Amino acid sequence: MPTLRSLLIATATVKVSVLAYAMWEAKQYRLRRVTVPVLAPGAEPLRVLHISDLHLTPSQQGKAAWVRRLAALRPDFVVNTGDNLAHPDAVDTALSALDPLLDTPGVFVNGSNDYYGPVWKNPARYLLPDSGGRVFGDPLPWKDLCQGFTNRGWSDLNNRSVDMKVRSQQILAVGTDDAHLDLDDYSEISVPDTPADVLRLGVTHAPYRRVIDAMSHDHLDVIFAGHTHGGQLCIPGLGALVTNCDLPVSQAKGLHRRDDNGWLHVSAGLGTSPTAPVRFACPPEATLLTLVPLDHTDFLP
Ligand SMILES: [Fe+2]
């Protein structure tokens, strides 16, 4: 019969082992690949690299090196859905990590963690419903990061839209500022009608339904978002328990068909808050989406 002491030791051993595993998984970066049939018939495929939620600190050189190597994929277009920073001195680290990708056409929006540094929170709070209350850390130099991106040609989509041409594909890209901080103002954005062969993209950090619904109303073909961390602490075989917004947990990460027939792609992101450097059954990821014509026959969502 086990003694109380042996039960306590066994319980503590399991807890330490799970914690050690979750800290290890948080550094197991991987690339996910998906194909999206969304372009006009006859259009050339377009390879879009979606990066999100780096939450970088100056000491995270391993993550920065992994991100730098993504340039070897030679994407046509980069979408960055925010939460790049997690430290007041991390702008140079973020710009260095993304440096080889900044020569590729790209767009970005900010997340709450680009504006404010991390603060310690009870980890259990992450698994509870969002009360709407926000605890802010120190302000971060987000303007320097945005300037670094725009200096190299990436377009700032915080409550803005932009027309661009990537290879032979005409694109209308529409973005909002962070909805988790109520900084989104879709009414500020001009979203024109476009010819059928124009690719209409939406970009936002936190995929609150008010943003997704507004973008769907404007018939955006693919909406990109981050913020959820894929649930971060998931149940194997079951998935995410939370999305940290009002998006259903079934859409916490991955490619999803919207009710209006467009697509929503949610990145599980590459980082975590430094105050909770753990992931379980939800490894950090970037995604390479190959956009192909609607009449393309062999795709796997
Ligand atoms: Fe994040």
Side-chain angles (χ1 to χ4, degrees):
M1 181 138 179
T3 64
L4 177 60
R5 183 170 179 272
S6 63
L7 280 174
L8 289 173
I9 290 172
T11 302
T13 302
V14 169
K15 285 182 178 176
V16 168
S17 300
V18 169
L19 179 62
Y21 171 81
M23 293 178 75
W24 175 83
E25 182 177 309
K27 295 179 180 174
Q28 303 312 300
Y29 314 111
R30 59 186 62 184
L31 180 74
R32 194 158 48 77
R33 296 172 188 261
V34 295
T35 303
V36 192
V38 70
L39 302 180
E44 286 290 311
L46 193 75
R47 300 167 82 238
V48 181
L49 179 64
H50 184 185
I51 294 172
S52 198
D53 295 83
L54 286 169
H55 291 268
L56 275 165
T57 67
S59 66
Q60 294 177 345
Q61 293 302 316
K63 189 194 315 182
W66 191 89
V67 172
R68 267 194 294 277
R69 289 197 291 274
L70 290 172
L73 296 167
R74 302 182 68 82
D76 301 307
F77 190 58
V78 180
V79 174
N80 182 321
T81 45
D83 271 8
N84 290 284
L85 305 178
H87 190 281
D89 299 327
V91 170
D92 287 348
T93 310
L95 292 176
S96 171
L98 294 166
D99 180 74
L101 291 167
L102 291 170
D103 293 326
T104 299
V107 293
F108 69 93
V109 292
N110 294 341
S112 57
N113 290 281
D114 295 310
Y115 293 112
Y116 299 103
V119 290
W120 191 89
K121 298 173 194 165
N122 180 351
R125 199 180 140 184
Y126 185 78
L127 297 174
L128 298 174
D130 185 6
S131 65
R134 301 285 179 263
V135 181
F136 298 120
D138 293 333
L140 295 181
W142 60 274
K143 290 182 182 174
D144 295 343
L145 184 72
C146 294
Q147 193 74 58
F149 289 162
T150 56
N151 284 349
R152 296 284 296 277
W154 279 13
S155 293
D156 181 342
L157 286 184
N158 287 297
N159 294 335
R160 291 178 192 151
S161 67
V162 65
D163 293 297
M164 58 180 70
K165 190 170 188 178
V166 177
R167 297 177 57 200
S168 59
Q169 180 63 56
Q170 199 68 42
I171 295 174
L172 169 69
V174 178
T176 75
D177 206 334
D178 181 38
H180 196 58
L181 295 182
D182 289 327
L183 296 174
D184 56 307
D185 188 352
Y186 201 78
S187 66
E188 277 186 37
I189 312 167
S190 166
V191 185
D193 293 334
T194 50
D197 59 352
V198 174
L199 176 64
R200 295 166 68 87
L201 301 181
V203 182
T204 193
H205 174 67
Y208 281 83
R209 279 183 287 197
R210 65 177 184 272
V211 176
I212 304 304
D213 289 349
M215 289 181 166
S216 297
H217 181 76
D218 281 326
H219 306 294
L220 303 188
D221 297 308
V222 188
I223 300 172
F224 295 85
H227 176 72
T228 65
H229 297 189
Q232 191 164 326
L233 301 173
C234 296
I235 305 294
L238 186 64
L241 300 175
V242 292
T243 61
N244 203 17
C245 63
D246 60 5
L247 194 72
V249 290
S250 60
Q251 298 180 6
K253 68 176 179 181
L255 182 68
H256 305 278
R257 197 71 145 149
R258 305 194 314 261
D259 290 342
D260 66 318
N261 248 4
W263 298 93
L264 169 66
H265 184 260
V266 181
S267 171
L270 282 162
T272 69
S273 168
T275 62
V278 287
R279 282 179 176 259
F280 196 84
C282 187
E285 65 174 22
T287 313
L288 185 68
L289 300 97
T290 302
L291 311 189
V292 298
L294 287 161
D295 54 357
H296 192 82
T297 51
D298 59 343
F299 83 94
L300 295 170

